[in-house]
Amino acid sequence: MTALKEPVQTADIQTALVPVSVVYGDGIGPEIMGATLRILAAAGAQIAPQEVRMGEALYKAGHTSGFAPDAWDMLRQTGIMLKAPITTPQGGGYKSLNVTLRKTLGLYANVRPCRAYAPYVPTHHPDMNLVIIRENEEDLYAGIEHRQTREVMQCLKLITRPGCEKIVRYAFEYARANGRKKVTALTKDNIMKMCDGLFHTVFDEISAEYPDIKAEHQIIDIGTARVAARPEAYDVIVTLNLYGDIISDVAAEVAGSVGLAGSANIGDTFAMFEAIHGSAPDLAGQDAANPGGLISAAALMLGHLGQHEVAAKVQNALLCALEDGMHTQDIAGPHTKEVLGTQAFADAVIERLGRVPQHLPAVTAEAQAKEMPVRQPTTPAYIDKQLVGTDVFFEWTDSGRDPDVLAAILQEAQLRNIPLKMITNRGVKVWPGGLPETFKSDHWRCRFQSDTPVKHGDLLALLIRVHDKGLDFIKTEHLYTFDGEPGYSLGQGQ
Amino acid sequence: MTALKEPVQTADIQTALVPVSVVYGDGIGPEIMGATLRILAAAGAQIAPQEVRMGEALYKAGHTSGFAPDAWDMLRQTGIMLKAPITTPQGGGYKSLNVTLRKTLGLYANVRPCRAYAPYVPTHHPDMNLVIIRENEEDLYAGIEHRQTREVMQCLKLITRPGCEKIVRYAFEYARANGRKKVTALTKDNIMKMCDGLFHTVFDEISAEYPDIKAEHQIIDIGTARVAARPEAYDVIVTLNLYGDIISDVAAEVAGSVGLAGSANIGDTFAMFEAIHGSAPDLAGQDAANPGGLISAAALMLGHLGQHEVAAKVQNALLCALEDGMHTQDIAGPHTKEVLGTQAFADAVIERLGRVPQHLPAVTAEAQAKEMPVRQPTTPAYIDKQLVGTDVFFEWTDSGRDPDVLAAILQEAQLRNIPLKMITNRGVKVWPGGLPETFKSDHWRCRFQSDTPVKHGDLLALLIRVHDKGLDFIKTEHLYTFDGEPGYSLGQGQ
């Protein structure tokens, strides 16, 4: 991990302490944070932790976002955060704090190094050493959900071109700065040809600017399976948010333990570092949790702050402890000599500060020190956009859910220049020419489309006529062309 | 696999051949289908294959669905299909044939047994023996995609209550009929509280009807990681379409080879059987592909037709071939005695028809013979639905994308009783009280919400006033309450 921009605090790094926001978290959070901060202090990290309160207690105090109102100002002052895991209370109305943090602060890149510590931590894949660069702000995690009929829930998957550009470019810059040779993109663009297709297109565009890095693309299901079975074949992986969420856990698990992996969340002006595991409320207060993930995250943070010597010192002490068989219960195996609690494990790391591992590859400050340039997404050339129709969605259960009946009603309402072209149910065309076997929910998508551009006013006139028929229209999705290309998919069976 | 309903053809099963639709497919498809049909004939399967043409050639002949127009009638006549993999041509406008087949014919359950063949096929998980029941019709695979701004693509994730009920009930009935003890549901309901939350809710409801089967729920990222690392801990898994797609491949891969796994696609009146792998065009014509996946699929089909004796005979012969080290190249390992081509492998299976394996557990006809009752989804009690507002989405790039400016314009347009409550960008609240760090795409969601029920006519009046401001409104999502509960999520940071 290297500094992305000049962090404001690094100029006088040898003489002053860098303020760092610290969140103690919920569940096992306070224990592993305490252990980690003790190690950082003993290692000589030039940081001044400042506690920021967020998490379960604030949710329960009525803050649906999990933050105290002054948290943003405190975070903005430091620009950097070390965070223990948070518990989001069960039940409706609470937003995921992690998602809000990432998105509000523009932490677009989630960086997860996953490596084996064989033979000291059991794994089937002793040679694996990959980094997952996960898009961190978009996709289904926008959290835009609507229940529109009695039977149907909807969530919007949103993918943006600038979002794709930022994450793909980050992946290639990361590969170059860290001496890695290959970037693999994972998408499901054989199904989601527009959303995932955009990511793939941007990947192809940007990879052409990095001829020194090998670029390849795989379908996510096959790619995840290969990461599970042959992770040593991967180097850097870049992918969309949901896929990255899944594959990050797969990679950490087959590497040996989720408990040892840290991650960085990188934005243009802010960065957050955390363990990849959760708050494990059932382990809380037992001095049983593995602080290794948060220690790894803290080392990533020190590298980001330019404190490469201290970062290497912490990582090497952690490797020494693992080599010496000093293990917490979650990673116990044939090479374990002592099963330690949280604080005893931290003590074992502290005792080994200054040593370098004998068998596992040692970390050097120099290997981490390359700069990564930051480039903003391109502003695309002018794109001609034309409105050509709309998909109107209805809740409708009359007439035995016969699509021909619905079509007849809508044809009475349609405007001459924007006729009804198609009805689908759960994406499958049911009119014209539907099949009786197709299951029909109460959620109907009805496409009104013109051969020539129309105006928003035309669509409003259409909606008024539809409304006059007494139908419950629940949503619309307008149809556009972009430089003459349709901006909408066909119905299945169309 | 057992017969779901009385297949019309099984009454005179000992005397007449059952017509079965057969698709030879693309790439390696014709080779593995030829091999498989030879084995079925030699084993005495009482089937009459009838070729149905679909796939690449039909796409290229201009059928965007990949079907000839008469295909549906042929399929309906047999009600059952054995299908080799298909190649969907690259480029826009082609719909996935598999998705269309599954959804048009109501094949709601994708059933994928995944087991190890250790030590004959290398695997780290010799004891794994699980079945994945994947919802097969809904989710992002509805394929409803729209490009609505110059920067943003959207795909709709749709989850229905009847769809959840059908797949969850199928999973529990499958577990009971096949002597399995546990069903694990995998969702991401900590993020998608409405869509995935619905699946989880239905799972909890239905699992209560099956006290003899253990029920548990895991988050998909953790669950996928555990399947990758410790698959022997799972028995039956039930999950949504996209997650099931990924985890099915993970399970098959860690079991040893994707090339040996078959799957069933089950509907109320139709069933389709196929290998889980793709058409592998680069292997085509080389007699190098493994027909094992399609052979396994054919055995599932025979069980579905009630031809349990023949099904067991085919499976046992396949197990014998594996035990004897007769392997195709994709599963070659330390126990391989001969690396065979596609047809020679089929010959090796045919030579072993009538034998039972010596080390791997043999398959018996009796173990497959339990009936599974079919129940239709419930019709829920009346739900009171009230319209309370709408989310209107805009493409907007003026005024440096300052949300306060957009809010001011919209407040001029709003109706007194349906005021502007919130603006989000990529799901993050940017008004009121947004943060300057938040990245803004050109895609804005603006929530107009009333404290009391409103009418569709009110929303149309609002849209007309918004339109008069010259804004490009690209879609709407109406806000409803259902029995008083909000049918919409909060904005992130709200």
Side-chain angles (χ1 to χ4, degrees):
Chain A
M1 188 64 39
T2 61
L4 287 178
K5 287 189 130 180
E6 306 78 358
V8 287
Q9 303 88 347
T10 53
D12 50 355
I13 195 164
Q14 298 309 320
T15 54
L17 300 180
V18 180
V20 168
S21 297
V22 168
V23 175
Y24 280 81
D26 304 312
I28 57 172
E31 295 166 66
I32 61 173
M33 182 60 82
T36 301
L37 292 179
R38 286 203 291 121
I39 294 168
L40 295 187
Q46 300 293 303
I47 61 168
Q50 302 183 345
E51 185 180 355
V52 177
R53 286 172 55 241
M54 54 184 75
E56 194 171 20
L58 288 141
Y59 282 118
K60 291 188 172 169
H63 301 282
T64 57
S65 63
F67 293 85
D70 61 349
W72 294 117
D73 284 340
M74 293 184 65
L75 295 179
R76 201 177 279 119
Q77 281 168 23
T78 62
I80 197 152
M81 175 162 64
L82 183 65
K83 177 175 153 296
I86 293 291
T87 303
T88 305
Q90 293 294 310
Y94 300 111
K95 304 299 293 185
S96 161
L97 185 145
N98 262 16
V99 175
T100 300
L101 265 177
R102 292 172 187 171
K103 295 186 61 177
T104 305
L105 297 170
L107 306 177
Y108 63 90
N110 185 279
V111 183
R112 296 199 184 186
C114 287
R115 49 160 296 186
Y117 297 93
Y120 307 103
V121 178
T123 174
H124 293 303
H125 307 287
D127 298 324
M128 84 175 277
N129 181 1
L130 57 84
V131 178
I132 296 165
I133 313 274
R134 165 187 171 193
E135 199 288 314
N136 216 12
E137 301 182 283
E138 306 193 336
D139 203 346
L140 292 151
Y141 293 57
I144 306 178
E145 291 189 284
H146 294 85
R147 178 179 182 182
Q148 291 161 323
T149 73
R150 290 169 174 85
E151 294 176 358
V152 177
M153 304 285 186
Q154 173 194 276
C155 185
L156 300 185
K157 169 168 171 161
L158 297 175
I159 304 296
T160 79
R161 174 171 266 275
C164 294
E165 287 187 15
K166 286 175 79 165
I167 195 67
V168 170
R169 189 171 297 286
Y170 185 89
F172 279 96
E173 289 292 342
Y174 181 96
R176 192 177 269 175
N178 289 275
R180 291 182 175 263
K181 305 300 180 201
K182 183 173 73 168
V183 178
T184 305
L186 300 177
T187 78
K188 189 74 190 174
D189 69 339
N190 55 336
I191 295 289
M192 285 165 273
K193 294 175 197 287
M194 295 177 66
C195 284
D196 290 27
L198 175 62
F199 191 95
H200 193 169
T201 298
V202 168
F203 180 79
D204 287 345
E205 288 170 7
I206 290 179
S207 66
E209 300 176 34
Y210 297 84
D212 49 320
I213 310 288
K214 186 177 175 201
E216 65 180 11
H217 172 267
Q218 295 173 357
I219 298 295
I220 182 64
D221 40 327
I222 297 162
T224 308
R226 289 188 185 156
V227 167
R230 294 186 291 280
E232 52 281 354
Y234 292 85
D235 193 352
V236 175
I237 290 171
V238 63
T239 189
L240 293 82
N241 201 340
L242 174 65
Y243 311 144
D245 191 3
I246 294 172
I247 206 165
S248 294
D249 273 15
V250 170
E253 189 77 34
V254 301
S257 173
V258 175
L260 286 168
S263 78
N265 295 272
I266 305 290
D268 291 334
T269 59
F270 197 91
M272 174 174 83
F273 300 85
E274 59 186 340
I276 71 165
H277 58 72
S279 58
D282 50 324
L283 270 188
Q286 299 173 33
D287 190 45
N290 185 347
L294 194 58
I295 297 167
S296 296
L300 293 172
M301 179 186 77
L302 293 172
H304 184 78
L305 291 173
Q307 300 184 25
H308 297 294
E309 295 286 351
V310 191
K313 194 171 172 182
V314 170
Q315 290 175 87
N316 285 329
L318 176 63
L319 294 174
C320 288
L322 296 175
E323 271 190 1
D324 291 348
M326 303 290 112
H327 295 167
T328 47
Q329 60 179 14
D330 57 309
I331 55 171
H335 287 264
T336 301
K337 295 220 177 64
E338 281 188 53
V339 175
L340 303 176
T342 307
Q343 301 307 325
F345 183 80
D347 293 337
V349 174
I350 289 170
E351 287 165 15
R352 288 164 178 79
L353 287 167
R355 283 176 42 190
V356 291
Q358 299 302 301
H359 304 286
L360 294 168
V363 178
T364 64
E366 296 68 33
Q368 310 176 312
K370 291 195 205 71
E371 290 286 332
M372 279 174 62
V374 175
R375 268 198 280 169
Q376 290 306 307
T378 56
T379 304
Y382 174 77
I383 297 171
D384 180 56
K385 179 183 179 188
Q386 297 289 345
L387 182 65
V388 295
T390 186
D391 286 346
V392 188
F393 292 66
F394 299 93
E395 174 166 357
W396 186 73
T397 55
D398 297 343
S399 306
R401 307 191 182 194
D402 179 349
D404 291 344
V405 174
L406 180 58
I409 298 169
L410 293 174
Q411 285 181 312
E412 287 175 17
Q414 75 191 14
L415 298 174
R416 194 172 45 79
N417 63 323
I418 319 176
L420 179 69
K421 283 285 176 71
M422 172 181 77
I423 301 177
T424 69
N425 194 301
R426 303 197 299 177
V428 177
K429 187 190 71 169
V430 293
W431 183 94
L435 296 186
E437 289 87 352
T438 306
F439 180 83
K440 285 106 179 170
S441 74
D442 61 1
H443 190 270
W444 305 80
R445 184 261 299 259
C446 304
R447 175 160 289 179
F448 296 88
Q449 190 177 351
S450 167
D451 296 329
T452 53
V454 298
K455 304 231 177 279
H456 283 76
D458 298 328
L459 302 187
L460 286 169
L462 170 64
L463 289 173
I464 290 168
R465 290 171 62 95
V466 162
H467 171 244
D468 287 343
K469 292 288 178 186
L471 294 171
D472 178 12
F473 74 96
I474 54 181
K475 60 171 288 188
T476 59
E477 302 278 359
H478 294 355
L479 308 177
Y480 295 95
T481 61
F482 294 84
D483 284 342
E485 292 293 318
Y488 43 89
S489 56
L490 298 176
Q492 280 158 351
Q494 193 183 9
Chain B
M1 188 62 41
T2 61
L4 287 179
K5 285 191 134 180
E6 305 78 357
V8 287
Q9 303 88 347
T10 53
D12 51 354
I13 196 162
Q14 297 308 320
T15 54
L17 300 180
V18 181
V20 168
S21 297
V22 168
V23 175
Y24 279 81
D26 303 311
I28 58 172
E31 295 165 67
I32 62 173
M33 182 59 82
T36 300
L37 291 180
R38 285 204 293 120
I39 294 167
L40 295 187
Q46 300 293 303
I47 61 168
Q50 302 184 346
E51 185 179 355
V52 178
R53 287 171 57 240
M54 55 184 75
E56 193 170 22
L58 288 141
Y59 281 119
K60 290 188 172 168
H63 301 283
T64 57
S65 63
F67 293 83
D70 63 350
W72 294 117
D73 285 339
M74 295 185 64
L75 295 179
R76 202 177 278 121
Q77 282 167 23
T78 63
I80 196 152
M81 175 161 66
L82 183 65
K83 177 176 154 293
I86 294 291
T87 303
T88 306
Q90 294 293 309
Y94 300 111
K95 304 300 293 187
S96 161
L97 185 145
N98 264 16
V99 174
T100 300
L101 265 178
R102 292 172 187 172
K103 294 186 60 177
T104 304
L105 297 171
L107 306 177
Y108 63 89
N110 186 280
V111 182
R112 296 200 185 187
C114 287
R115 51 160 295 186
Y117 298 93
Y120 307 103
V121 178
T123 174
H124 294 302
H125 308 286
D127 298 324
M128 84 176 277
N129 181 2
L130 58 83
V131 178
I132 296 165
I133 313 273
R134 166 188 171 193
E135 199 290 314
N136 216 11
E137 301 182 282
E138 307 194 335
D139 202 346
L140 293 151
Y141 292 57
I144 306 178
E145 290 189 285
H146 293 86
R147 178 179 181 182
Q148 291 160 322
T149 74
R150 290 169 175 85
E151 293 176 358
V152 177
M153 304 286 187
Q154 174 193 274
C155 186
L156 300 186
K157 169 168 171 161
L158 297 175
I159 303 296
T160 79
R161 173 171 267 275
C164 293
E165 287 187 16
K166 287 175 78 165
I167 195 67
V168 170
R169 188 170 296 287
Y170 184 89
F172 280 96
E173 288 293 340
Y174 180 96
R176 192 176 268 176
N178 289 274
R180 290 182 175 263
K181 305 300 181 201
K182 183 173 73 169
V183 178
T184 306
L186 301 177
T187 78
K188 189 73 189 174
D189 69 339
N190 55 338
I191 295 290
M192 284 165 274
K193 295 175 198 285
M194 294 177 65
C195 284
D196 290 26
L198 174 62
F199 191 96
H200 192 169
T201 298
V202 168
F203 179 79
D204 287 346
E205 288 170 8
I206 289 180
S207 67
E209 300 177 34
Y210 296 85
D212 49 320
I213 310 288
K214 186 177 175 200
E216 65 180 11
H217 172 267
Q218 296 173 357
I219 298 295
I220 181 63
D221 41 327
I222 297 163
T224 309
R226 289 188 186 157
V227 167
R230 294 187 291 279
E232 53 281 354
Y234 292 85
D235 193 352
V236 175
I237 291 171
V238 63
T239 188
L240 293 84
N241 201 340
L242 174 65
Y243 311 143
D245 192 4
I246 294 172
I247 206 165
S248 294
D249 273 15
V250 169
E253 189 77 36
V254 300
S257 173
V258 176
L260 286 168
S263 77
N265 295 271
I266 305 290
D268 291 334
T269 59
F270 197 90
M272 174 173 83
F273 300 85
E274 59 186 341
I276 71 164
H277 57 72
S279 58
D282 50 325
L283 269 188
Q286 299 173 33
D287 189 43
N290 185 346
L294 194 58
I295 297 168
S296 297
L300 292 173
M301 179 186 75
L302 292 172
H304 184 79
L305 290 174
Q307 301 184 22
H308 297 296
E309 295 286 350
V310 191
K313 194 171 173 183
V314 170
Q315 289 175 86
N316 285 329
L318 176 62
L319 294 173
C320 288
L322 297 175
E323 271 190 1
D324 292 348
M326 303 290 110
H327 294 167
T328 47
Q329 60 179 14
D330 57 310
I331 55 171
H335 287 264
T336 301
K337 296 219 176 64
E338 282 188 53
V339 176
L340 303 176
T342 307
Q343 300 307 324
F345 183 80
D347 294 336
V349 174
I350 290 170
E351 287 165 16
R352 288 164 177 81
L353 286 167
R355 284 175 44 190
V356 292
Q358 299 302 301
H359 304 287
L360 294 168
V363 178
T364 64
E366 295 67 35
Q368 310 175 312
K370 292 197 205 72
E371 289 287 330
M372 278 174 63
V374 174
R375 269 198 280 169
Q376 290 307 306
T378 57
T379 304
Y382 174 77
I383 297 171
D384 180 55
K385 179 183 179 188
Q386 297 289 346
L387 182 65
V388 296
T390 187
D391 285 348
V392 188
F393 292 67
F394 299 93
E395 175 165 358
W396 186 72
T397 55
D398 297 343
S399 306
R401 306 191 182 195
D402 179 349
D404 292 344
V405 174
L406 180 58
I409 298 169
L410 293 173
Q411 286 180 311
E412 287 176 17
Q414 75 191 14
L415 299 173
R416 194 171 45 79
N417 63 325
I418 318 176
L420 180 69
K421 283 284 175 72
M422 171 181 79
I423 301 177
T424 69
N425 195 301
R426 301 196 301 177
V428 177
K429 188 191 70 169
V430 293
W431 183 92
L435 297 185
E437 289 88 352
T438 306
F439 180 84
K440 285 106 179 170
S441 74
D442 61 2
H443 190 269
W444 305 80
R445 184 261 299 259
C446 303
R447 174 160 291 179
F448 296 88
Q449 190 177 351
S450 168
D451 296 329
T452 53
V454 299
K455 302 226 177 285
H456 283 77
D458 298 328
L459 302 187
L460 286 169
L462 170 65
L463 289 174
I464 289 167
R465 290 171 62 95
V466 162
H467 171 244
D468 287 343
K469 292 288 178 187
L471 294 170
D472 178 13
F473 74 96
I474 55 182
K475 62 171 286 187
T476 59
E477 303 277 359
H478 294 354
L479 308 178
Y480 295 95
T481 60
F482 294 83
D483 283 342
E485 293 293 317
Y488 42 88
S489 56
L490 299 175
Q492 281 158 351
Q494 192 182 10

